Structures are given as C-alpha cells and as structure tokens.
Amino acid sequence: MNKAALILALVAAPALAEPDARALERLVRQDCGSCHGLTLKGGLGPDIRAQALTHYEAEGLKAVILDGVPGTPMPPWRPLLTEAEAAWIADYLLNGESE
Ligand code: HEC
C-alpha cells in the first residue's frame, strides 16, 4: 500500500463504526419480518409500522429491540446489534421509512 492509500484508509476507517444502513434495513425486513410480517404489519409479532408505534419514544423502542419482551417470543437483539444499530432501527421504524 502506498502512503497516500494508507492515509486514506486510516481517515476512512471510523466510518466503518457507523451503522450500516443497508445491512440493517435487510435485517429489519428479513429477521424482524420473519415474525412481524414482511411488510411489518404483524404476524406472530404485532404491527411495528410507525403508526403502530406512537406509544414509543426512540429510547424505549431501542430498549425493546436490545432486550426483547421477556416471556414472549420477542428475542433480545443485544447479542447481535450494537446500541448504535438498535438506535438506527428504532429511528427507522419510528420515522416510517419501513412503509
Ligand atoms: C421470534 C419472533 C420475533 C422476532 C424475530 C422479532 N420479534 Fe419483535 N416481537 C415478537 C412478539 C411475539 C412480540 C410481542 C410481545 C408481547 O406480547 O408484548 C414482539 C414485540 C415487538 C415490539 C413491541 C411492539 C409493541 O407494540 O409493543 C417491537 C417494537 C418489536 N417487537 C420490534 C422488533 C424488531 C425491530 C425486530 C428485529 C430486530 C423484532 N421485533 C424481531 C416477536 C419477534
């Protein structure tokens, strides 16, 4: 690697710590969708489209995603997602981009 490429790699590296929007969008569709329905309208799990989540603040939603709902099939995602990724998903669900 030449010097310029090395510097570029070092400058670009912190971006990798940002949530990967495309991967998370896929996770919401496929993994959350496996229980909440492909369009998130509900299945085994309830409707999690924005209009069904008005009783949540982003923080509360993030906690449900990270810790699940004990005693129900809603699993905790903490082993798989970082706090930043869960916050991204909460925001994604609340802002209706899941339509
Ligand atoms: C194995 C099935 C399953 C998977 C996978 C799953 N959920 Fe759930 N989820 C449930 C069930 C069942 C409930 C209802 C729990 C209850 O009875 O309160 C639920 C509840 C929720 C709630 C609370 C809804 C409300 O109105 O209180 C949210 C938000 C939620 N899930 C988001 C997600 C997200 C985001 C993902 C993907 C990261 C996900 N779920 C993956 C089964 C699942």
Side-chain angles (χ1 to χ4, degrees):
M1 196 186 285
N2 67 39
K3 215 172 184 180
L6 181 64
I7 290 167
L8 193 64
L10 291 174
V11 169
L16 296 175
E18 291 293 306
D20 177 345
R22 285 186 58 185
L24 290 176
E25 194 163 5
R26 205 174 320 120
L27 176 121
V28 170
R29 295 272 154 206
Q30 294 179 357
D31 295 72
C32 313
S34 69
C35 283
H36 291 277
L38 278 181
T39 57
L40 308 179
K41 260 194 266 192
L44 170 66
D47 190 337
I48 54 168
R49 291 173 300 167
Q51 64 264 39
L53 294 176
T54 52
H55 54 299
Y56 279 106
E57 300 285 338
E59 274 302 304
L61 199 55
K62 184 179 120 184
V64 169
I65 294 167
L66 285 173
D67 298 322
V69 182
T72 79
M74 173 62 187
W77 291 85
R78 203 178 280 284
L80 298 172
L81 297 173
T82 64
E83 297 254 337
E85 287 168 339
W88 186 94
I89 293 174
D91 188 59
Y92 176 80
L93 294 176
L94 285 176
N95 289 305
E97 273 130 52
S98 50
E99 284 305 299

